[in-house]
Amino acid sequence: MISYMIRVFIIFSFALLYSEQTHLLPHHISYKNILGYDSKVGKVYEWHDISRYLQELKIKKFNQPNRGLSIRWLGTFGFELSDGTTSLLIDPFVSRPTPKEQFRPLHIDTDAVNHYVLRQGNNSTIKAVLVTHSHYDHIQDVPYILSQYLDNGIQPILIGNKNTEQIIQSYNKSDISWIGPNNSLEKIQIYVTDFSSKENAHNQWNIGRFKITAFQGLHPQYDFFSWRGPSGLIESTPPFYVWDYKLNHNESIGFLIEYGGLKIYFSDSPFIQNPKNIGKVDILIQTIASREMENNIAECIKVMEPIYYIPAHYDNFFKPLDEFSTFDPVIGFGFPENIFGDTETHLIDFAHFDSFITEFENEYKTQSTELRLLKLLYYYSIESLVLKK
Ligand SMILES: [Zn+2]
């Protein structure tokens, strides 16, 4: 009897282990050869190797660090900012369709969203979803995330622009199975940003202990094209094709998020309009892809004086996170190579991460005396960024 129980136990354990491995866990992603940078030390591969020589940089304004304030990367420009009670999502994107799937109507990978974003239903802390712009790599997963709050009355609010609202309303009317007969997106509170007046007061929200301010921005032009992606109003119905995710007036919203004196700015563009209006921040998280045609990263660092700079949107988002065992900093637009099986060569690398490190060393770090370039790791405890006296 005992040996029978042991055998059942072993089989059960293997089954558990196997089910865990169907999705890679954050610490399984290898960041080998992905550089970080410290203005005093230079290039850094592994922070823990040098941390004993370095005095930690201090975020001075963060007077009362709240234990547990954390930031989690959710693919591309996706983040979760959380203090354990209130969580905000910014552009969560884990569906990551492959190049071949880009030519078909896009389906949300609900499995991946459940695992990486909703953490198998443990989602009651998500109070707001912020969308910078309505391209699929920023908004694709949002309708499904919002639809998962039907019965419990704790739906997060949604902040975005006109097209973001249109995508949600269009999903709500669709017959996609997880929308359900009761139109699960019907009651979502959507706040559409309005930059028509100079006052930014109506583009501000207090959510838990977070204060959010939206700033008008412009989507970057793609490298080698002077084009910002499909634009216009959303007219089609879901499931959408890649090209149905249009931009409203080429707009991309930047979000300033304040928490207990700490200021974090999220810019999904390497060009920030009027950084002086935003002012000084502690952490600047910025898209570095498509910065060939226009970027003002050096000016942003000079004016906004971040202590930590986290480059974002340079992962190869044509690869599902499950296959992302080694961080791949090449957004290689592989068409048509991948289609015919000739992988390895890329027509365009929208990230050009290697040259970013050189640019950082030569142009950006000189704008500031103390600056640290963090790798786009899967998880930061913000507490760990604050120097303890
Ligand atoms: Zn993008």
Side-chain angles (χ1 to χ4, degrees):
M1 180 64 188
I2 288 177
S3 74
Y4 172 75
M5 282 171 70
I6 291 172
R7 257 184 287 161
V8 168
F9 176 75
I10 290 171
I11 291 167
F12 190 66
S13 309
F14 268 111
L16 257 182
L17 203 69
Y18 182 75
S19 67
E20 274 295 301
Q21 282 176 346
T22 52
H23 283 290
L24 284 170
L25 294 168
H27 60 268
H28 290 141
I29 294 182
S30 157
Y31 293 89
K32 215 174 163 227
N33 300 326
I34 305 298
L35 273 165
Y37 199 94
D38 181 275
S39 55
K40 294 201 177 70
V41 178
K43 290 172 184 169
V44 175
Y45 279 102
E46 295 301 336
W47 287 110
H48 60 81
D49 285 347
I50 59 154
S51 58
R52 56 184 177 274
Y53 306 117
L54 285 176
Q55 198 192 25
E56 292 293 317
L57 293 180
K58 185 187 179 187
I59 297 178
K60 296 178 191 77
K61 285 182 204 156
F62 197 17
N63 304 322
Q64 296 170 309
N66 180 293
R67 284 193 186 278
L69 185 62
S70 66
I71 187 157
R72 204 159 61 96
W73 179 58
L74 293 173
T76 317
F77 198 69
F79 295 93
E80 178 199 64
L81 198 57
S82 177
D83 67 358
T85 308
T86 306
S87 303
L88 313 176
L89 298 179
I90 298 113
D91 291 0
F93 173 60
V94 294
S95 278
R96 299 165 75 99
T98 62
K100 270 183 194 168
E101 288 167 337
Q102 315 258 334
F103 293 93
R104 300 196 284 261
L106 297 182
H107 288 280
I108 297 171
D109 183 345
T110 55
D111 247 18
V113 178
N114 287 340
H115 180 79
Y116 291 109
V117 183
L118 300 176
R119 303 205 227 179
Q120 317 288 19
N122 181 22
N123 52 5
S124 58
T125 62
I126 300 173
K127 299 292 193 302
V129 181
L130 283 53
V131 177
T132 60
H133 66 279
S134 46
H135 279 165
Y136 83 97
D137 55 320
H138 299 259
I139 198 173
Q140 191 193 347
D141 294 341
V142 172
Y144 176 71
I145 293 167
L146 294 174
S147 78
Q148 297 304 293
Y149 292 84
L150 182 59
D151 299 322
N152 48 19
I154 50 159
Q155 292 165 314
I157 64 162
L158 173 67
I159 301 173
N161 65 18
K162 196 82 207 130
N163 279 15
T164 294
E165 180 186 47
Q166 187 57 42
I167 286 170
I168 298 303
Q169 288 173 347
S170 180
Y171 258 98
N172 189 47
K173 287 183 211 141
S174 76
D175 53 6
I176 289 170
S177 62
W178 44 261
I179 290 290
N182 297 326
N183 304 89
S184 57
L185 296 171
E186 190 76 42
K187 292 190 181 126
I188 295 294
Q189 240 183 317
I190 307 176
Y191 292 89
V192 177
T193 49
D194 175 11
F195 300 109
S196 58
S197 89
K198 276 191 175 160
E199 261 301 310
N200 208 13
H202 54 276
N203 290 317
Q204 263 172 3
W205 300 267
N206 288 298
I207 317 269
R209 295 177 63 196
F210 293 94
K211 182 181 172 190
I212 302 164
T213 310
F215 288 86
Q216 189 173 25
L218 200 58
H219 188 278
Q221 297 176 55
Y222 296 116
D223 295 344
F224 315 111
F225 301 96
S226 89
W227 190 53
R228 300 176 197 274
S231 96
L233 293 171
I234 310 281
E235 283 144 1
S236 36
T237 53
F240 298 115
Y241 285 88
V242 168
W243 46 87
D244 292 328
Y245 288 92
K246 293 177 185 170
L247 288 184
N248 189 32
H249 300 301
N250 292 325
E251 187 181 270
S252 182
I253 304 164
F255 291 105
L256 175 67
I257 300 180
E258 297 173 69
Y259 189 95
L262 176 82
K263 290 185 177 185
I264 308 176
Y265 193 73
F266 291 85
S267 169
D268 183 43
S269 172
F271 188 91
I272 298 177
Q273 293 179 312
N274 304 316
K276 277 192 186 114
N277 293 350
I278 300 157
K280 292 182 184 178
V281 300
D282 303 288
I283 304 173
L284 175 56
I285 300 178
Q286 189 166 30
T287 285
I288 61 162
S290 296
R291 63 184 187 280
E292 295 267 278
M293 303 286 273
E294 53 182 354
N295 84 69
N296 64 344
I297 298 173
E299 185 197 355
C300 293
I301 289 174
K302 190 172 184 183
V303 172
M304 298 168 81
E305 294 181 44
I307 292 180
Y308 290 99
Y309 185 95
I310 305 180
H313 206 321
Y314 62 94
D315 56 312
N316 177 2
F317 62 89
F318 299 119
K319 217 188 226 181
L321 276 178
D322 274 2
E323 295 169 20
F324 219 56
S325 54
T326 299
F327 191 94
D328 178 359
V330 177
I331 309 175
F333 191 63
F335 176 78
E337 282 91 337
N338 286 346
I339 300 290
F340 299 107
D342 306 328
T343 51
E344 304 308 320
T345 43
H346 299 281
L347 289 180
I348 301 162
D349 172 13
F350 286 103
H352 33 98
F353 182 71
D354 284 350
S355 62
F356 181 76
I357 298 295
T358 315
E359 288 161 39
F360 196 84
E361 198 162 26
N362 297 337
E363 300 168 47
Y364 310 149
K365 81 161 192 199
T366 53
Q367 306 296 327
S368 171
T369 47
E370 276 193 320
L371 184 66
R372 189 172 273 191
L373 171 75
L374 296 178
K375 300 179 196 189
L376 186 56
L377 289 175
Y378 216 94
Y379 177 88
Y380 290 117
S381 155
I382 290 183
E383 183 70 5
S384 71
L385 303 182
V386 180
L387 176 70
K388 323 256 186 340
K389 278 187 179 164

